[in-house]
Each structure stands twice: as structure tokens, then as C-alpha cells.
Amino acid sequence: MRRALALVLLGATLAVLAGCASRSGGYYKDDGPGRDIPADIAAIPDAVPRIERHAPANFRPYEVFGVRYLPIGENQPYRQEGVASWYGRKFHGEKTANGETYDMYAMTAAHPTLPIPSYARVTRAGTNRSVVVRVNDRGPFHPGRIIDLSYVAAAKLGLIGPGSGRVIVQAITNADIRAGRAPGTPILASAPPADTARAQPVNLPAAPLAPPAPVPAVFEGPQPGGIYLQFGAFSSAQNAQSLAQRVNIEAAGQAGPATVAHHPPLYKVRMGPYLSRDEAAHTAARLAESAGLNPVIALDQGL
């Protein structure tokens, strides 16, 4: 991506790479989420594929760190499985490879060879959680990683806590768009307007493994600001309470209770507040590993 290319041209040295389990989660050790995280990340819609013009320069071969890359054609099928990472505040507001401004809260991604701009469906392996992103940057240039997702795209796939994860990347070509087809089927990671699709996917079993937990009460009105783990947002209080009840069964009390907060017009299922984003990310990673839960980090400013 342009951020890495610029570093090469300036002769700068890359920052120390973060491990896959780093709590900051980003491609670089000093990367991480921003200060003003949208309160309802799960409701941010997927990118909508459309035919876009490509500058001829975007198809030219290029070289980074001694590796030569050859961008593929706009109608060339592409499917690859590998590790995805994400990039956040370190590059928020910087220029992407095609001259746009990187927005960590937009559904975008960086890829070394897909056309820019173009679209791709990214599915987290083993879960069928899926998002559609707009590729507008180059990278990642890290051995073993095939795509860099924006913060919000990674959050919707449950990759913020772990920092990286195995995904399947499928190109949505111009030919696909003209024919009205796209590979794969979006699951709950996408956020269409339907109420039931606003929930963050949590991989819960069809039936509880323990006696039913009490139905959580609904907290009305603004709550004190803070950092939370959010599992879903609904227009129905009953749906939110049902999800909170099931989350509490799966979490088995290991991270505090899931509660329902009414921030009109939505009822939000969440845990917290936490003292820092690192504490929230650590808890999210623990819940993902032990209970298969994948909340996103949300900042509540008491609005």
C-alpha cells in the first residue's frame, strides 16, 4: 500500500511488527484503534460494489522489500485463503495507494494485487462471517498475510482482539457486478437494515448448555461514558434481552454480565465499562478463545 511504499522511498525503517496476538492488533506495533470509535460499528454497512475506472498506473508491476508484485486484471477471478490483519489510527487520514484518504471507519482494505479500486468479499474461515470491502490501498507487505482490513471491517469479523485471523478473500470483478452476481453469501457480519441482522455474530449454540440465565433488565437513558464490548444492537428490547441472556450463558460469568442499554432508537447488548481499550481488547480476545464470542469495542460518550 502507499504507506509502505512511501516509507521505502524515504528510506525509513519499518516499525517493529506486532505479533498476531498483540492486544493493539494492528500491522505495526504502535498502531491501534482511534479515540472516537463509532458507538454502533455493527450497523456500518458493507461496501456496495459498483464499476469504477482504473488508472493504468495501478496495473503496473511494483516492488517492495525485494518482492515483485503484478496486479491482476479487473475481470480476473481471484480466491485466496490466508491470514488477515488490520490497520488503524497510525494511518487514519493518510493517503492510500490510489490517492484517497484512509478512513479506518469505512469498509475498505489493502491488497497487494487486486485492482484498485475494486471490491472483495472477505469471509472469516470456519465461521462464515462475511463482509464486502472496497480495495483502495496496497499491502500488506508482511510474510504470511494476504489482506489488511480497515478497523471497522476487522471489527465486524471479530479480528480486533486477536489482531489477525484466517480469512478467505474473493474478488468481486466488474464482470460479476455487470452480471449481478458476487461470490459467497453475507452472514451476520454484514449489517443490512433488518433488525435481526444488526446483532454482532457471536457463534452461540442453538440451545443453552446450562439452565437459563435471568433475563437482563433494560437500562433506560444515557449511561456514563466509557469503553464497552458490544455484542449487538436491536430496535427490539426483547431481541436484545434474548441475546444478552445467551451471551451470559456462554460467558459463564468470566467477564462480567452482559447488559442491555437503551440508546434510542437502539437497545445495545454490551459488557463493561472498561478502564482502557487494552483491557477491553484483552477481554474480547479471552471471550473469543474460551466461548466463541466476538464482540466489538465501542466507545459510549453517554449520548
Side-chain angles (χ1 to χ4, degrees):
M1 61 191 68
R2 185 159 182 167
R3 55 193 166 95
L5 292 173
L7 289 173
V8 174
L9 294 174
L10 293 173
T13 303
L14 278 177
V16 178
L17 295 175
C20 289
S22 169
R23 285 186 290 174
S24 66
Y27 179 92
Y28 292 92
K29 187 175 183 180
D30 55 348
D31 200 359
R35 295 180 181 275
D36 300 315
I37 300 174
D40 196 16
I41 284 178
I44 295 176
D46 282 4
V48 178
R50 60 187 179 90
I51 294 175
E52 300 194 52
R53 296 180 60 184
H54 297 106
N58 290 341
F59 293 100
R60 294 173 185 165
Y62 65 96
E63 185 174 310
V64 178
F65 305 140
V67 178
R68 186 172 175 82
Y69 297 89
L70 178 62
I72 67 176
E74 65 180 29
N75 288 317
Q76 181 175 336
Y78 176 94
R79 183 186 186 279
Q80 185 176 9
E81 182 172 349
V83 175
S85 50
W86 62 272
Y87 61 124
R89 68 168 182 261
K90 183 178 178 70
F91 305 101
H92 186 65
E94 299 294 327
K95 293 296 183 182
T96 65
N98 68 342
E100 298 176 358
T101 300
Y102 173 59
D103 181 356
M104 62 188 286
Y105 303 125
M107 292 295 292
T108 63
H111 192 274
T113 59
L114 286 176
I116 53 174
S118 66
Y119 297 84
R121 183 175 298 286
V122 182
T123 304
R124 188 170 182 186
T127 68
N128 286 331
R129 292 194 298 277
S130 170
V131 295
V132 174
V133 295
R134 182 173 180 267
V135 179
N136 68 346
D137 211 349
R138 286 294 180 220
F141 303 116
H142 180 287
R145 297 183 186 179
I146 64 171
I147 194 168
D148 249 357
L149 300 170
S150 67
Y151 173 86
V152 69
K156 291 173 72 176
L157 289 176
L159 296 176
I160 296 300
S164 62
R166 198 159 190 85
V167 300
I168 300 165
V169 178
Q170 297 169 280
I172 300 175
T173 67
N174 281 350
D176 291 327
I177 297 170
R178 290 189 185 97
R181 64 176 182 267
T185 302
I187 311 297
L188 287 182
S190 300
D195 176 60
T196 55
R198 291 194 180 194
Q200 181 69 18
V202 291
N203 290 336
L204 298 175
L209 301 179
V215 176
V218 175
F219 293 95
E220 294 287 346
Q223 302 296 314
I227 300 169
Y228 291 83
L229 294 181
Q230 185 164 304
F231 297 84
F234 299 84
S235 60
S236 163
Q238 183 177 358
N239 288 347
Q241 289 175 299
S242 177
L243 175 60
Q245 184 180 31
R246 297 178 69 191
V247 167
N248 285 333
I249 291 170
E250 280 299 294
Q254 60 182 301
T259 59
V260 178
H262 186 203
H263 292 180
L266 297 176
Y267 294 85
K268 300 179 179 181
V269 180
R270 62 191 191 173
M271 287 181 179
Y274 299 94
L275 296 177
S276 67
R277 289 182 179 83
D278 275 355
E279 181 186 2
H282 178 73
T283 303
R286 181 153 49 90
L287 288 172
E289 181 178 356
S290 64
L293 301 172
N294 289 286
V296 298
I297 298 174
L299 180 63
D300 179 4
Q301 297 178 321
L303 300 176

